[in-house]
């Protein structure tokens, strides 16, 4: 694995990074109330009296949120804790009406786990998961609608969150980026979080420290809150590491603090330090008894688990003959993997993969379409590959057929039939064309015979052109040489 | 365990309670009285007693994932000191 080392005139440094990721749980209703979790509705319509923190209202845990959390825990190859507890985390902020967040502190629902990330040099690295707990989200503050006031929308208040905490296992920005992409892929496969960082349904806090290469100490870390894209997380690590190194090399010390990364400047700055900000005075939530899961329950969730990206990738490599890179790209997204499997059924899987990775994805990109909206169906892509494999059409004609398919969505067999695009493999017909080409280009024939043998390619091209691309190139090649060498 | 005046001030700040300076001494005494009273429990040998999680041994009741509340904007905003454009309006808070 490529090492990430920051070298200065004074020394060599490595980064030590851990991530905390808040993932909104996909559920219809909130984690402790029966209000809707719908995103983007008018302000304060999806708010119940529980979410608004009205006196006397009691939280009731949503079964589905527990189910989603257990599924996610299993997807992280983590230990599911049969016993977990809810706690109150106390702090005052205008977007949290109860003045405490119900979360899990000492006993989280999910314990240690691990996932593997794929790095650009083809290697994989194991990243440890420290824990995952469930909690409620806060509301949203809007600061730019009024010069003297902040507006509060509580629609998000009470939406279920899974907070995933990693071990400080990252040694480069690339590893952190690869982890976030893998995590997002797993969550989307499982359907437990939609993973949209730009909509805030997945939010990342980044903990960064540095140390001299060769040392195993853990120095003071700084936390950067709510970095909202994979790219920014990678930039934040790099710029924060450089800041630490500069401070250390000038004889200074790093204070443990919370910082805000500004993607427009690429720098982080200290968030206004709130006095006593980190004294949350956790205590057990008196309104919710402990959450106890049975072995039967956990086994039942295990039985629901689907094939996740790593297992799928392995299967594509081993049983379908794909390269590790192709398999990785096709498996990152569940819809792509499903489309591929459907298209490859009964056909040359490697060729189907090549088509998807090149012309097919290029077409979707150009048309700005999602794979689920593709005009070319999986079955039709499979049929197209079959037409090439069985030499009914040439690879070159196939590109034209694909072009028509992406406009009309038609079956390639029908297109080939109607347009008369079938490859000509009849040697008699091909020979007639070759004879015509040779007869009308005596100069080039002479030049060929005098040693300019690479003109053979030119003759092949002319013949294929004259056949309107339908002559089988392998046969043309063979016959052209035979005739020229006669 | 005795607490001092500084701790009283800190707890008051964290709880957003205003305690006048002349009442701090008295509040400290009250806190200590409560703490001393609770410390009497330390005299009991609890080595063979399981930790108590909750005084009512109810098991956790869970709900089905269905939407049955919300859409009560007027009621939600009724007690807000200030509301504008269907939002709660609060003094500007910027981090």
């Amino acid at each position: 694995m490529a090492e990430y080392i920051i070298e200065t005139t004074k020394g060599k440094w490595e980064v030590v990074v851990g991530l905390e990721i808040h993932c909104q749980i996909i559920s219809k209703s909130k984690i402790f109330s029966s209000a809707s979790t719908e995103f983007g509705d008018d302000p304060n319509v999806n708010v119940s009296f529980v979410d608004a923190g009205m006196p006397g209202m009691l939280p009731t845990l949503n079964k589905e949120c527990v189910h989603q959390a257990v599924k996610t825990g299993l997807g992280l190859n983590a230990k599911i804790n049969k016993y977990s507890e809810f706690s109150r985390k106390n702090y005052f902020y205008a977007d949290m009406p109860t003045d405490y967040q119900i979360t899990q502190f000492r006993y989280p629902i999910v314990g240690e786990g691990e996932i593997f990330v794929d790095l650009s040099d083809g290697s994989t690295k194991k990243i440890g998961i420290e824990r995952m707990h469930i909690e409620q989200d806060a509301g949203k503050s809007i600061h730019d609608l009024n010069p003297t006031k902040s507006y509060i929308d509580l629609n998000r208040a009470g939406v279920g969150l899974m907070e995933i905490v990693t071990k400080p296992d990252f040694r480069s920005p690339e590893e952190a980026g690869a982890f976030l992409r893998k995590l997002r892929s797993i969550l989307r496969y499982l359907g437990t979080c939609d993973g949209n960082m730009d909509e805030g349904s997945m939010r990342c806090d980044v903990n960064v420290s540095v140390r001299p290469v060769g040392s195993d100490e853990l120095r003071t870390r700084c936390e950067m809150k709510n970095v909202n894209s994979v790219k920014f997380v990678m930039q934040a690590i790099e710029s924060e590491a450089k800041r630490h190194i500069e401070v250390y090399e000038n004889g200074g010390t790093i204070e443990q603090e919370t910082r805000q990364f500004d993607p427009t400047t690429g720098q982080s700055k200290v968030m206004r330090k709130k006095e006593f900000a980190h004294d949350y005075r956790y205590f057990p939530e008196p309104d919710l008894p402990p959450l106890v899961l049975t072995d039967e329950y956990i086994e039942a969730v295990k039985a629901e688990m689907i094939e996740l990206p790593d297992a799928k990738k392995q299967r594509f490599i081993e049983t379908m003959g794909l390269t590790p890179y192709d398999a990785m790209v096709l498996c990152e997204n569940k819809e792509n993997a499903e489309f591929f499997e459907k298209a490859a059924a009964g056909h040359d899987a490697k060729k189907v993969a090549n088509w998807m990775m090149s012309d097919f994805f290029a077409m979707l990109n150009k048309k700005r379409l999602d794979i689920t909206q593709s005009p070319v169906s999986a079955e039709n892509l499979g049929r197209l590959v079959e037409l090439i494999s069985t030499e009914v059409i040439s690879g070159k004609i196939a590109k034209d057929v694909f072009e028509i398919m992406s406009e009309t969505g038609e079956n390639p067999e029908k297109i080939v039939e109607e347009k008369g695009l079938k490859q000509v493999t009849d040697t008699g017909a091909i020979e007639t064309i070759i004879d015509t080409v040779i007869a009308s280009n005596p100069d080039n024939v002479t030049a060929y015979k005098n040693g300019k043998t690479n003109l053979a390619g030119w003759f092949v091209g002319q013949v294929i052109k004259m056949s309107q691309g339908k002559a089988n190139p392998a046969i043309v090649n063979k016959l052209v040489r035979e005739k020229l060498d006669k | 365990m005795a607490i001092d005046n500084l701790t009283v001030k800190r707890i008051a700040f964290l709880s957003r309670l205003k305690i006048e300076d002349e009442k701090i001494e008295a509040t400290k005494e009250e806190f200590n009285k409560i703490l001393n009273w609770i410390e009497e429990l330390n005299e009991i040998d609890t080595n063979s007693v399981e930790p108590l999680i909750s005084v009512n041994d109810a098991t956790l009741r869970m709900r089905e994932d269905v939407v049955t509340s919300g859409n009560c904007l007027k009621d939600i905003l009724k007690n807000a000191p200030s509301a504008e454009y269907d939002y709660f309006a609060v003094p500007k808070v910027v981090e």
Side-chain angles (χ1 to χ4, degrees), chain A residues 28-30 33-35 44-45 48 61-63 83 92 143 146 148-152 274 276 279 290, chain B residues 10 13-14 16 53 58 62-65 67-73 84 86-88 90 92-93 95:
Chain A
K28 294 189 198 79
S29 64
K30 294 181 179 179
S33 88
S34 56
N44 291 310
V45 296
S48 76
L61 182 59
N62 181 346
K63 241 183 215 175
Y83 178 92
F92 289 96
H143 302 297
N146 184 309
T148 58
K149 288 174 180 169
S150 290
Y151 287 155
I152 310 293
K274 282 177 290 182
F276 308 121
D279 193 343
Chain B
R10 184 173 146 83
F13 174 80
L14 287 170
R16 301 297 189 272
I53 306 302
M62 290 194 245
R63 14 172 297 272
E64 297 297 327
D65 183 27
V67 176
T68 56
S69 61
N71 282 317
C72 49
L73 181 77
E84 289 172 20
D86 295 341
Y87 292 101
F88 293 90
V90 302
K92 196 122 186 147
V93 270
E95 288 264 356

Side-chain angles (χ1 to χ4, degrees), chain A residues 128-139:
Chain A
I129 304 292
E130 177 69 33
R131 61 182 276 167
M132 186 192 94
H133 62 257
I134 49 177
E135 60 187 20
Q136 56 184 173
D137 208 344

